[in-house]
């Protein structure tokens, strides 16, 4: 079965600092999703990556999928308190969003 | 409504009871997904609908769980003879097609006591 490992499990950074969250798969990914979740809320879609070597950016968040499509990284530049939450990567193996999620990375940003 | 709506937002039930959780997807979205999220874990896939039919129900944990989407819009997740281990947040998501962004609802927090 598809397994995703995220690192680190939790992260505390000072406002303004950059940070990176990693997501590693045991198998080749069809699609890789990044979502953000705040406590008690649903998931907010950030990005979807499908092609090896693909990189996408949205505001201060950049995500990359490596050439072998087994690892992705999420990079936040100049972090802000609004970036705080749980970041989840998800693997789509079937092509229809039957997504297997990682356990998440909890991010705290200290003002 | 503008987003995916799930009701109720919270449900407390006694062990052994039957519960129904409702999901109103975004209008026009043909694909609908149910996930379950336990504390400290990522969401786990339960079932996927394309239109009225369940295209993939391989994530349903056992035959106490059942979901329907009779008219291709609203979906109901049904749990019979609830157990304490069923306690979790049940998330619903919908999308326009299978390979596009999925929009999630706020979830229903189910507590079985």
């Amino acid at each position: 079965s598809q397994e995703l490992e995220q690192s680190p499990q939790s992260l505390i950074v000072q406002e303004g600092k950059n940070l990176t969250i990693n997501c590693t798969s045991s198998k080749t990914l069809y699609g890789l999703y990044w979502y953000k979740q705040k406590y008690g809320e649903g998931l907010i879609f950030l990005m979807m990556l499908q092609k090896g070597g693909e990189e996408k950016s949205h505001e201060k968040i950049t995500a990359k999928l490596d050439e072998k499509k087994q690892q992705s990284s999420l990079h936040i530049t100049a972090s802000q308190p609004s970036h705080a939450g749980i970041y989840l990567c998800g693997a789509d193996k079937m092509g229809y969003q039957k997504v297997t999620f990682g356990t998440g990375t909890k991010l705290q940003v200290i003002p | 409504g503008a987003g995916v709506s799930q009701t109720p937002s919270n449900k407390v039930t006694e062990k052994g009871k039957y519960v129904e959780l409702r999901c109103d997807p975004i209008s026009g979205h043909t694909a609908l997904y149910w996930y379950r999220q336990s504390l400290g874990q990522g969401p786990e896939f339960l079932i996927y609908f394309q239109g009225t039919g369940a295209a993939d129900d391989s994530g349903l944990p056992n035959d106490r769980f059942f979901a329907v989407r009779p008219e291709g819009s609203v979906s109901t997740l049904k749990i019979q003879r609830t157990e304490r281990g069923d306690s979790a947040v049940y998330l619903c998501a919908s999308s326009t097609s299978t390979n596009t962004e999925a929009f999630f609802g706020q979830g229903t927090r189910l507590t079985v006591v």
Side-chain angles (χ1 to χ4, degrees), chain A residues 10-11 13 23 30 56 77 109:
Chain A
S10 65
L11 194 54
V13 300
C23 175
Y30 180 89
K56 288 187 177 178
T77 304
V109 180

Side-chain angles (χ1 to χ4, degrees), chain A residues 34-80:
Chain A
W34 282 101
Y35 282 89
K36 179 185 174 185
Q37 185 177 32
K38 293 209 165 183
Y39 179 77
E41 298 182 12
L43 279 64
I44 300 168
F45 174 82
L46 296 175
M47 271 168 275
M48 175 186 169
L49 304 165
Q50 285 186 293
K51 299 177 184 175
E54 187 173 12
E55 179 175 322
K56 288 187 177 178
S57 292
H58 176 67
E59 297 179 345
K60 293 186 178 179
I61 301 176
T62 300
K64 301 178 187 179
L65 182 61
D66 76 350
E67 291 289 343
K68 293 184 180 179
K69 297 174 67 176
Q70 286 192 258
Q71 187 168 21
S72 178
S73 60
L74 184 86
H75 185 76
I76 299 177
T77 304
S79 59
Q80 300 169 1

Side-chain angles (χ1 to χ4, degrees), chain A residues 30 33 92 94-99, chain B residues 33 45 48 55-56 98-99:
Chain A
Y30 180 89
Y33 298 86
D92 174 4
M94 306 294 289
Y96 57 75
Q97 294 212 38
K98 180 180 179 179
V99 179
Chain B
Y33 314 82
F45 171 85
Y48 151 61
D56 186 338
T98 57
N99 201 26

Side-chain angles (χ1 to χ4, degrees), chain B:
Chain B
V4 177
S5 175
Q6 290 188 247
T7 54
S9 54
N10 279 283
K11 175 73 178 177
V12 179
T13 190
E14 291 182 348
K15 179 174 177 289
K17 298 289 188 184
Y18 167 82
V19 295
E20 289 189 353
L21 312 179
R22 177 187 168 106
C23 173
D24 279 90
I26 293 173
S27 178
H29 281 193
T30 56
L32 184 145
Y33 314 82
W34 283 99
Y35 286 83
R36 176 169 73 170
Q37 187 174 25
S38 300
L39 194 63
Q41 302 294 316
E44 282 180 284
F45 171 85
L46 294 176
I47 186 169
Y48 151 61
F49 286 92
Q50 184 60 245
T52 60
D56 186 338
D57 65 357
S58 61
L60 295 177
N62 52 59
D63 60 7
R64 295 187 296 106
F65 288 74
F66 190 70
V68 296
R69 195 185 185 200
E71 297 177 359
S73 55
V74 171
S75 176
T76 305
L77 179 65
K78 308 179 181 192
I79 311 174
Q80 297 177 318
R81 305 183 304 279
T82 51
E83 299 177 358
R84 292 197 178 90
D86 298 336
S87 298
V89 175
Y90 289 81
L91 295 164
C92 175
S94 69
S95 65
T96 54
S97 64
T98 57
N99 201 26
T100 59
E101 174 186 354
F103 294 83
F104 279 79
Q106 303 280 51
T108 293
R109 183 175 297 277
L110 175 67
T111 304
V112 182
V113 297

Side-chain angles (χ1 to χ4, degrees), chain A residues 4-49:
Chain A
L4 292 177
E5 285 194 10
Q6 285 187 240
S7 62
Q9 291 185 334
S10 65
L11 194 54
I12 302 173
V13 300
Q14 200 83 37
E15 183 177 357
K17 297 293 186 185
N18 302 337
L19 64 105
T20 300
I21 298 169
N22 293 303
C23 175
T24 303
S25 169
S26 58
K27 298 183 179 180
T28 300
L29 301 163
Y30 180 89
L32 189 286
Y33 298 86
W34 282 101
Y35 282 89
K36 179 185 174 185
Q37 185 177 32
K38 293 209 165 183
Y39 179 77
E41 298 182 12
L43 279 64
I44 300 168
F45 174 82
L46 296 175
M47 271 168 275
M48 175 186 169
L49 304 165

